[in-house]
Amino acid sequence: MDTVTTLPVMMPAAAEIFLTVVGMVLLMAGVFRGEKMLKPLAWATVAAFILAAGLVIMYGGTGAAFFGLFVTEAFAQFAKILILLGSGFAILLSLGYLKSEKAGRFEYPVLILFATVGMMLMVSANDLMALYMGLEMQSLALYVIAAIRRDTLRSTEAGLKYFVLGALSSGMLLYGCSLIYGFTGTTSFEVLAQVFAADSTPSTGLIVGLVFLITGLAFKVSAVPFHMWTPDVYEGAPTPVTALFAVAPKVAALALFVRVMSEPFGDLLASWQQILVFLSIASMVFGALAAMVQTNIKRLMAYSSIGHMGYALVGLAAGNEAGITGVMIYLATYIFMNIGAFACILAMRRDGRLVEELSDLTGLSKTHPMMALALMIFMFSMAGIPPLAGFFGKWYVFLAAVEAGLFGLAVIGVLASVVGAFYYLRIVKLMYFDDAENPLDSKVAGDLRLILYGSAAVTLLFFLVISPIYDSARAAAASLIGA
Amino acid sequence: MYTAIIFLPLLGALIAGFLGPWIKDLGAQLVTCGALLLSAVLAVVAFVEVAIGGQPRTIELASWITSGSFDASWSLRWDTLTAVMVLVVTVVSSMVHVYSIGYMSHDDSKPRFMAYLSLFTFAMLMLVSADNLVQMFFGWEGVGVASYLLIGFWYHKPSANAAAIKAFVVNRVGDFGFALGILGIYLLFDSVSLDVIFAAAPEKAGTVMSFLWMEADALTVLSILLFIGAMGKSAQLGLHTWLPDAMEGPTPVSALIHAATMVTAGVFLVARMSPMFEYAPTALAVVTVVGAATAFFAATVGTCQNDIKRVIAYSTCSQLGYMFFALGVSAYSAAIFHLMTHAFFKALLFLSAGSVIHALHDEQDMRNMGGIWRKIPFTYAMMWIGSLALAGIPFFAGYYSKDLIIEAAWASHSGVGHFAFWMGITAALLTAFYSWRLLFMTFHGKPRMDQHTLEHAHESPPSMTVPLAVLALGAVISGFVGYDVFVGTQMDAFWGASIKVLPENNTIEAAHHVALWVKILPIGVAAAGISLAYIAYILKPELPAMFVARFRPLYLFLLNKWYFDELYDWLFVKRAWQIGRWFWQGGDRAIIDGFGPDGISMVARWCAGQAGRLQTGYLYHYAFAMLIGVVALVSWYLAFGG
Amino acid sequence: MVVQALVFYGLAFVAVASGVMVVVSRNPVHSVLFLILAFFNAAGLFVLMGAEFLAMILIVVYVGAVAVLFLFVVMMLDINFVELRQGFLRYLPIGTLIGLVLLAELILVVGGWTVAPEVPQALGTPIPPPNEVSNIDALGRLIYTRYVLLFQISGLVLLIAMIGAIVLTLRSRVGVKKQSIETQNARDPADVIKVIKVTRGGGV
C-alpha cells in the first residue's frame, strides 16, 4: 500500500486546533491553581471563543484538511460563529449562577470549551467517522456538564439520563454508519455523494442504515419521537447549562444534520424527505401541545425548543437551497431568543434563591417592567409575530417548504405555530395581566441585564439587518449545495 | 433632512421608552416634544421644497428583503402627497404631544405615553413615505400596534382593554384584505415597488385573474382588496365598530390617531394607489357607495350619542365617509384636501373636548354637563371654531373642502355619484345638528353636574390651550389658503405625478362649474341643522324627549348604532366564541380544571395527558420510545418509501 | 475451506447464543460471564479474518479490563435484579413485538443484499494482504497518517472522559488523614524531638 507521508493540511482547522491547545493550557492552569481560577478561566474561555471566531472568519474560504476528513466552507463558518456565540453567552450567563449557588468548579469552562470544539468538528465533519468522533466529543463533555452539580439529585439524574439515552442514540448512529459502510464500502462524504450520483436507486439496506443515522442525529436535535430526554435534562440540569444545551449543541447538531442530508445523501432526497417531514411535523405538533400543560418554565423551554427544532427541520425537509438558507436564519434568530429567555429565567430569584415556576412570573410587569418587556419580546418572537426576529426564521423555512411543494407541511407548521403562540402568550398574560402575590427580588445582576437587553434589542431590531444575514445564510447554503 | 423628519420621532420614542426611568417625566416630555416640533418645522421646509417647489424625490436608505424577483428596500418616497401627509401628521402630532403634557399631568406613566405617541408618529410617517407596499404595510401594522397600545394605555380599565382588542381584531380583518391585495399585486405586477406598479397599471387594465371561484378583472379585485384594508383602518361602514370604542384611550390619542392621522391612512392609501384605482371603475363605485353610506350612517348615529367623545368619533367616521366618496368619484385631491382640513378641525374638537373633560374631572357624559361656557370661555370659543369648520360654514376650513366634495359627487353625473351627493347633503344636515347639540348640551342650559365638580371647573393650563389655538388657526385658515393649490387653479402643478386622474374622470374641474343650487344647498342644510339644534336644545328643551317618546324604535335604533355591534356580536363574536370554545376547551380545561365531557375537549386533553404520561421519567420508557420510533420509521420506509 | 466455514458458524452461533444468555440470565454474574464468552467468540471471528491484532486487543481490553470491571461492579453493588425485572414481564409482549418487527426488517435487508457495483473501487483504504504487512503495521500506517484527525479526537475524548470522571467523583474529604510529603520534609527535628533523661527505675 502507498503510505501517506506528507504532513496533513491543517490551516482550515486552525480555530479548532487553537481552541484545543487553549483548553489544555487552561486545564493545567486550573489544576495547578485550584478553584479560585474559575472566573479567570471563564473569561479566558470567552476570549478564546472570540479569537477562534476571528480565526474562523479569517480563514474565509473553502478548504479541506486532514486528508479530507475535515472541510470548511461558508456554511461551516456560519454555523461555527453561531456555536461560538451560543457557548460564549452560556458561559457569561453561568458566572453569576456558579457564584451564588457555590457550584463553581474550574473544569466547567474547560468542559464547555471542549464541547464547543466537538461541535465545531461535527459541523466540519466530512466523513462518517469524523462525524461520530465529533459527536461523541461534544456529547461526552455535555453529559459531564449536565451532572456538574453532583451533589444535587436532579443534576445527577439529568446527567445520567442524558448519558444513557445518548449512548443508545450513538449506538443507533454507529449501526447506521456501519450499514452504510457495508453497502457502499466507504465512509467519506464525497465518495458517498459520487456513489449516489451514479446510482440514485439505493438498496434497502442502505436506506435502513440512513434511517438509523437520521435517528441518531434526530436525538441530538431532540426531534420527536427521540426527544424524551429533553424535558427531564433541561429541568434537571443547572439553568445556565440548560441555556447552553438549548443553543450551541442544537446549532451544531442541526448543521451536521443539514450537511449529512444534503452533501453525501443529497441525491437520495426522495428517500429521506418523508422521514424528515414526519419528524418535523411530529416535533412541531408535539412541542406545541405538550408545552401547554407545563408549569415549570425550564420544561416549557424544553418543549419550546423541540417545537423550534421542528420548524427548523421544515427547512431541511424542503431539501433545497432556500430551505437551508431558512434553517441558518432560523438558527441565528433562535440563539438570541433563547439566550435572552434564559437570562430572564436566571434573573428570577426570590429571597436570593432561583425559582423556575411559571407562576413566579405573575405580575412581573409591575415589579420588573424592563425585564417583563424583554421577556415579552422574546415570547412574541418565539411565537413568530412580525417584525420580530422569530418571524423571519419561520417565514423563510415555510417559504422554502412551499417552494419545494410541501404545502401540507407548511400549513401544519403554520397551524402549530398558532397553537404554540398560545403558551407563549400565556406567559405574557401572566406577566402583564395578573397581580403578583409574591414579587421576585428586585435586584438583577448587571451582567444578566446586559445580556437580557442586548438580546432583546437584537430580537426586536432584527428586521433591520435581515438583508446581510440573509445574504450570508444564502452564501452558506450555496456553499453547501450550490457548488 | 428628509430622513431626519421620519426618524426624529423614532429617536424620541426610543429615548423616552428605554431611558424613561433615568430621564424622568420631564425629560421624556421634552425629548419627544422637541423631536416632534423639530420634525414639524423640517416638514414645513420639506413641504415647500417638494410640493410648492415641485421637486419630488426618492431617498434610498437600505435594502431590506431581496428574494428572487421580490425586492423591497427601505426608501422614502417624497412627492406632494407624502409632503402633505407628513406636514399634517407632524404638525398635528407635535401639537398633541405638547397638549399631552398638560392633559396627562396626573398620570403616572408619562414617559411610556410619550414614547407610544412618538412611536405611533414614526410608524405613520413610515406609512406615508413608503416607496413600496411592503414598507407601507410595515408602517400600517406599526400604527395598528401603536394604536392598540394607546387605546389600552389605561390597561387597568377592562373597557379600555376590550376596546383595544376590538380595534386590533377589526383592523385585522382589514389588514387581511390589504395583505391579500399586496400579494395579488405582486402576483400581477411581479413587484411591490410603487413606481413599477404605477407604470404598469395602464397595460394591465382588463387583465383577468381568477379569484375565489370566479374570473374577475384583476385590477378591480386588487383595488377592492386594498380598499378593504383601507376600510378597516378608516372605520368605514362594516368595519367601523372599533372606532367609537377606541375612545376609551386618553383624549390626545383620540385626537391624534382616531381623528387626524391614522384613520386617514385608508384615504391616503386609496389616493396613493390612484393610478391603479383609476383603471378599476367598479372598485371606485364600491368606494363611493361605501363612503357615502358611512357618511350618512355615522351622522345619524352621532345625533343620539351622549358621550361627548363618541359624538365626535361618529363625526370622524362620517367625515371619513365624505373623503372616501370623494375618492370614489376620482376627486382625490379634494379628498386629501378635506383630510388636511379635517385633521385640523377634528383634532381641535377632540382636544377641546379633552379640555372640557379635564375641566370636569374626567366626566364624558354630556347629560352631566351644561352651562359651563362662562367657566371655560377659551375652550368654548375653540369648540365653536371647530364646529363651524366641521359644519362647513363659509370661510371656515370645512366649507372649502366639504362643499367641493359634495359638488364633485354631483358633478360626476353617475348613479353612485348622485347617491353620494344626496347622502352627503343629508349627512351635512345631521352634522350641523349634532355638532350644535353637542355645543348646547355641553356649554349651555342648566348645569347638570354636581356642585363640587361645577365649582372646580377650570380653564386648562397653557400647554393645553396653546396647541388648541394653533389648531384653531389651522381650522380657520387652512381652507382658503389651501384651496387654490390643492384643488383650484394651481392644482395640476401642485400634485404633479403623485395623483393620477384620467381625463374623463376629472370631477374636480367639473365641480367648479355646477349649478348654483348645488353650491348653496350644503350651506343651507348646515344652517338648518344648526337652527334645529337651537330649537331642540335651547328654545324647547322638552322637544327631544317628546321625539324620543314618539319615535322610540327609531331612537333606540340610532342610540344602539343601528345594532351593528349586536349584529356582529351575534354573527361573529358569538360564532367565533363557539368555535373558539370548541377548539380550545381541551387546552383550557386541561389546564384549568381537568375534565371536559365534550368530544374535542376529550381528545385534546387526552393528547396532553398522553404527552404527560409518556414523560414518565423512567429511563427505559424513554429508551423504549426511541426504539419504537426507529422501528416505526424503518417499517414506514420499507412499507411505503421503497 | 470447509473447516473455516465450520469454525465460523461455530463461533458465530456461540457468540449469538451467549448474547441471548446475557439478557435472559437470572444471575447477573452469569450475565457478565456470558458477555466474556461472547467477546472471546468475537475475537475468534477476528482471527478467522486474519485480524489477529484486533482479536488480541479485544481480549485484552474488553475481557481483561471492561468485563472484569463489570464483574466487580455487579458483585460489589448489591442491586436487587429481581426488583429491576419487575417491569420486564409487563413490557415483554410489546417488547417482543418490536424486536420481532425489527428482526424481520433486518432479515429483509440482508435478504436483499446487493452491494453497489462501485463498492470495490470506492474502498478508500483496502486491506493490505496479511502476508506482506503485519496487522499492527497496517493499522499504524493508517491511524497516524490518513486518520490522524480521528486519532487526535479520540485522545481528546479520553481526556474529557478523564476530566469527567474526576469532576464527578473526586472529593476532597475533610478529616481524612493523608501523607503530606512537604510537611514531612519540612519538619525540623529540633521542634519535634525532645530528649529526656530517664532515671533508672523511675519510669518516664
Side-chain angles (χ1 to χ4, degrees), chain A residues 39 43 91-97 343 444-453:
Chain A
K39 210 164 176 190
W43 282 107
I91 291 183
L92 292 181
L93 282 178
S94 321
L95 286 174
Y97 175 88
V444 174
D447 49 349
L448 274 188
R449 263 211 310 251
L450 204 63
I451 296 176
L452 191 60
Y453 299 156

Side-chain angles (χ1 to χ4, degrees), chain B residues 14 57 116 180 417 432 457 471-472 488 493 580:
Chain B
L14 289 179
R57 64 196 73 197
Y116 285 171
L180 275 184
L471 290 172

Side-chain angles (χ1 to χ4, degrees), chain B residues 10-27:
Chain B
L10 178 66
L11 188 69
L14 289 179
I15 293 176
F18 286 103
L19 303 180
W22 287 277
I23 58 174
K24 300 279 181 279
D25 294 354
L26 188 64

Side-chain angles (χ1 to χ4, degrees), chain A residues 161 164-165 168-169 172 204 207-208 211-212 215 219 225-229 231-232 271 274-275 278 286 289-290 292-293 299 303 370 373 396 422 433 463 466-467 470, chain B residues 17-18 63-67 70 74 138 155 161 584 587-588 590-591 607-608 611 614-615 617-619 621-623 625-627 629-630 633-634 636-638 640-641:
Chain A
K161 275 184 179 164
V164 174
L165 294 174
L168 180 63
S169 83
M172 292 188 194
T204 319
I207 293 301
V208 173
V211 171
F212 274 93
T215 306
F219 174 86
F226 310 106
H227 67 284
M228 305 289 272
W229 58 279
D232 288 15
S271 305
Q274 293 174 22
I275 298 172
F278 166 76
F286 187 83
L289 279 179
M292 288 200 292
V293 292
R299 282 190 93 85
Y303 285 109
M370 288 307 282
L373 182 71
Y396 281 112
F422 170 75
F433 300 111
F463 66 91
I466 182 66
S467 186
Y470 178 78
Chain B
F18 286 103
S63 82
W64 181 22
I65 305 169
T66 315
S67 171
F70 186 86
W74 291 110
F138 168 74
Y155 51 80
N161 274 334
W584 285 105
D588 266 6
I591 295 153
C607 284
L614 283 177
Q615 210 68 41
Y618 289 118
L619 245 173
H621 284 175
Y622 294 2
M626 284 172 65
L627 279 177
V630 174
L633 284 184
V634 172
W636 185 19
Y637 179 75
L638 288 178
F640 305 109

Side-chain angles (χ1 to χ4, degrees), chain A residues 42-222:
Chain A
W43 282 107
T45 311
V46 174
F49 284 164
I50 295 171
L51 286 176
L55 282 175
V56 169
I57 294 170
M58 253 170 55
Y59 189 87
T62 306
F66 294 109
F67 309 108
L69 293 182
F70 180 102
V71 287
T72 178
E73 71 282 85
F75 173 79
Q77 280 141 15
F78 194 99
K80 283 178 190 174
I81 300 288
L82 292 182
I83 291 168
L84 289 168
L85 259 175
S87 296
F89 276 116
I91 291 183
L92 292 181
L93 282 178
S94 321
L95 286 174
Y97 175 88
L98 294 176
K99 199 164 151 235
S100 74
E101 305 291 305
K102 302 199 176 44
R105 298 178 63 90
F106 72 86
E107 289 96 341
Y108 178 77
V110 178
L111 281 170
I112 291 187
L113 189 145
F114 280 127
T116 310
V117 176
M119 295 172 208
M120 291 166 76
L121 289 170
M122 277 161 71
V123 170
S124 278
N126 195 33
D127 188 288
L128 289 174
M129 288 188 281
L131 174 160
Y132 177 71
M133 294 310 293
L135 201 68
E136 277 309 287
M137 183 172 169
Q138 69 111 14
S139 309
L140 199 59
L142 293 182
Y143 303 147
V144 179
I145 295 174
I148 192 126
R149 297 197 62 191
R150 61 183 188 190
D151 296 324
T152 61
L153 198 60
R154 292 202 309 168
S155 178
T156 40
E157 185 189 330
L160 189 67
K161 275 184 179 164
Y162 194 20
F163 173 66
V164 174
L165 294 174
L168 180 63
S169 83
S170 287
M172 292 188 194
L173 185 113
L174 265 185
Y175 189 62
C177 289
S178 42
L179 276 177
I180 293 169
Y181 176 68
F183 279 90
T184 57
T186 181
T187 54
S188 158
F189 286 179
E190 276 151 21
V191 184
L192 280 172
Q194 286 163 15
V195 169
F196 299 131
D199 170 26
S200 59
T201 48
S203 61
T204 319
L206 184 76
I207 293 301
V208 173
L210 183 56
V211 171
F212 274 93
L213 182 66
I214 290 176
T215 306
L217 292 174
F219 174 86
K220 295 293 169 196
V221 298
S222 63

Side-chain angles (χ1 to χ4, degrees), chain B residues 620-621 624 628 631 634-635 638, chain C residues 91 94-95 98 101-102 105 108:
Chain B
Y620 58 96
H621 284 175
F624 203 56
I628 295 177
V631 171
V634 172
S635 322
L638 288 178
Chain C
Y91 296 102
I94 185 160
I98 295 286
V101 170
L102 193 58
E105 282 165 358
L108 203 67

